[in-house]
Amino acid sequence: MRKMLLKKISLKSEKQRLLIAALKSNEASTVYAFGPKGVGKTFLNVLFGLDSVIRGVYDVFFIVTPRPDGKWYVDFLCRIANKYDCGDVVKKAIKDGKIRVLSRAINFTEEVPDAILFIDDVHLFPLPEVMDIFWVYNGRIKLAMAADFTFESNANSIGWILRRVLHNESSTVIVDFGFDDIVDPVIKQNLRVTMEMVMRSRVLSEDEQKVQNIAYCYAPDTDIITVLSLKKIKESLEIEKVPDALIVVKEGFLGRLIGKEGRRIGLIEKEAGMSLRAIEFTLNFGRIIRALHPYPWIEKHINKIDVVGGLVTVRIDYKDYQRFAGKDLKYLRFLNEAFRALLGLGLKVEYKRAEKTKRKRKRQK
């Protein structure tokens, strides 16, 4: 038996291990990998498919790609195979029809009972094409899909629709990769730029535009990414001790906005007639929470923050949950609405109850 391709690589995250385990499982007929670019979704699915065909676990490995020219994908497969010393075997499998690349989902009309089908970049396909494959093949063959996380969490985004549909399906495993799972350093670096684009593309309300204009009057040398008005959210939830608006500036420009001893931001607040907070944008979402939460010190009690499944996921100890969420979950709801308005991302909190320790009773003599 040939040495498994999968044994030639080192999995770099727990989510990668979960994905491979799901692909190996006979209980999971459908495996859906969802997350940002650079986490290994395509690479691991392809490597598993190649490995399965080489070892005879599946008769055929189908790859469906939105790319109009399948040649690019064939070259991609060969590069992976050559890297792990099985180039000739993979080329023969392609020639024998055991590995097939199709340029569109609609072209997949095969009747192969013992096959694995991988739909790459499924979020780029028209929904009817994906529906046709599900209608005919889901549950009949091993079906794997990969979709990139996008900031468009609307009803028309195929990746998000599939995630919602497949959630809680008994024979489906969804592996949600987070921003922390990105293993490609270039993608990690570009993520911040992408998120900045999202914020800069926001259409400012009248209040937001007013704050931005006043800010540039007093701090013309700063670089404002966006302004987020919080007045309506604040009033609807009847929350105090939170700002009326948040100013987000590019990293390295906060000092120019604040001014010496806070003079500039003070003048901006006075003319705008609003309480303001300002932050430099980085991938540290704790800074946003600190700026928005009624109690900024709550950031110190956060164990971890990541973006998973389209939600800013905050992990916190149970003892700190009530202070974070607030009475009637008002603080949590406020943060959720603010993040959605700012980045199109919701917010959820995960907490862990402390394990109770049994006290040993002293024996009475």
Side-chain angles (χ1 to χ4, degrees):
M1 181 180 290
R2 298 181 183 275
K3 184 178 179 180
M4 291 180 64
L5 276 174
L6 295 174
K7 289 187 176 180
K8 296 183 178 182
I9 65 169
S10 175
L11 299 177
K12 297 181 179 180
S13 71
E14 181 61 28
K15 297 294 178 66
Q16 288 191 351
R17 286 185 278 273
L18 288 174
L19 176 56
I20 292 299
L23 291 169
K24 289 180 179 179
S25 172
N26 294 325
E27 302 297 323
S29 61
T30 302
V31 179
Y32 186 51
F34 182 72
K37 296 179 183 295
V39 297
K41 303 186 302 295
T42 296
F43 174 74
L44 292 177
N45 272 288
V46 165
L47 201 67
F48 178 83
L50 295 178
D51 179 83
S52 299
V53 168
I54 290 173
R55 295 189 303 112
V57 177
Y58 290 102
D59 293 333
V60 185
F61 176 33
F62 291 99
I63 300 171
V64 179
T65 171
R67 292 177 178 271
D69 183 9
K71 184 178 182 302
W72 178 93
Y73 221 104
V74 172
D75 293 340
F76 172 62
L77 297 178
C78 291
R79 287 199 302 272
I80 292 178
N82 290 332
K83 183 177 181 180
Y84 296 104
D85 302 321
C86 60
D88 293 338
V89 178
V90 169
K91 288 178 182 178
K92 185 176 185 305
I94 294 173
K95 184 178 180 181
D96 295 342
K98 291 186 175 182
I99 299 173
R100 306 183 198 178
V101 179
L102 304 173
S103 60
R104 289 186 63 192
I106 200 170
N107 293 332
F108 183 74
T109 57
E110 304 288 340
E111 291 291 343
V112 181
D114 200 11
I116 178 171
L117 167 63
F118 172 49
I119 308 178
D120 196 11
D121 291 330
V122 69
H123 59 287
L124 298 179
F125 284 98
L127 183 59
E129 292 189 19
V130 179
M131 290 170 62
D132 285 344
I133 286 184
F134 266 88
W135 183 267
V136 179
Y137 297 102
N138 190 34
R140 297 177 184 271
I141 62 176
K142 187 80 172 186
L143 179 59
M145 296 177 291
D148 285 348
F149 164 86
T150 67
F151 290 93
E152 299 175 1
S153 56
N154 54 60
N156 296 323
S157 175
I158 306 303
W160 288 96
I161 291 174
L162 283 173
R163 190 186 176 282
R164 289 193 294 268
V165 169
L166 296 175
H167 187 61
N168 291 329
E169 287 291 323
S170 59
S171 60
T172 297
V173 174
I174 297 176
V175 181
D176 277 322
F177 287 87
F179 287 2
D180 284 352
D181 297 309
I182 296 175
V183 295
D184 187 326
V186 176
I187 297 293
K188 191 83 170 182
Q189 181 179 354
N190 291 339
L191 176 61
R192 180 187 55 77
V193 178
T194 302
M195 297 182 72
E196 183 176 325
M197 290 179 185
V198 172
M199 288 188 287
R200 286 189 186 272
S201 65
R202 293 181 64 248
V203 178
L204 300 185
S205 68
E206 186 176 341
D207 279 348
E208 291 168 344
Q209 190 66 61
K210 174 185 174 182
V211 171
Q212 179 171 282
N213 292 342
I214 295 172
Y216 273 129
C217 286
Y218 290 101
D221 54 346
T222 193
D223 186 355
I224 297 175
I225 295 174
T226 192
V227 177
L228 176 65
S229 177
L230 301 161
K231 291 174 70 174
K232 289 183 178 179
I233 309 173
K234 177 180 176 179
E235 290 169 1
S236 65
L237 294 172
E238 299 179 344
I239 298 179
E240 299 179 351
K241 299 180 181 179
V242 294
D244 294 324
L246 176 71
I247 303 176
V248 183
V249 301
K250 200 171 183 70
E251 193 170 8
F253 287 83
L254 185 60
R256 303 183 189 188
L257 176 70
I258 301 299
K260 188 176 181 180
E261 298 179 352
R263 291 174 186 171
R264 285 182 171 184
I265 193 68
L267 291 169
I268 297 168
E269 281 189 311
K270 184 177 180 180
E271 185 166 335
M274 301 167 68
S275 63
L276 304 173
R277 288 184 190 166
I279 60 166
E280 289 181 328
F281 179 68
T282 67
L283 292 180
N284 181 0
F285 293 98
R287 291 186 180 183
I288 302 178
I289 292 176
R290 182 175 63 194
L292 295 177
H293 201 278
Y295 303 106
W297 48 261
I298 198 67
E299 182 200 9
K300 297 179 181 179
H301 297 268
I302 295 173
N303 297 326
K304 185 178 180 181
I305 305 178
D306 194 8
V307 177
V308 181
L311 295 171
V312 177
T313 305
V314 179
R315 295 176 185 171
I316 200 165
D317 291 335
Y318 179 72
K319 62 181 177 62
D320 299 314
Y321 173 74
Q322 188 60 50
R323 288 182 290 181
F324 184 92
K327 186 179 179 181
D328 299 326
L329 305 181
K330 284 188 177 182
Y331 301 162
L332 179 57
R333 290 155 62 193
F334 176 77
L335 291 171
N336 178 62
E337 292 298 320
F339 269 97
R340 287 195 182 280
L342 185 64
L343 288 164
L345 303 172
L347 182 138
K348 74 171 184 178
V349 178
E350 295 178 350
Y351 58 81
K352 184 178 181 181
R353 292 179 182 271
E355 296 182 1
K356 295 182 179 179
T357 56
K358 296 181 179 179
R359 294 181 178 179
K360 295 182 180 180
R361 295 180 179 178
K362 294 182 179 180
R363 293 180 180 178
Q364 295 180 352
K365 293 183 178 180

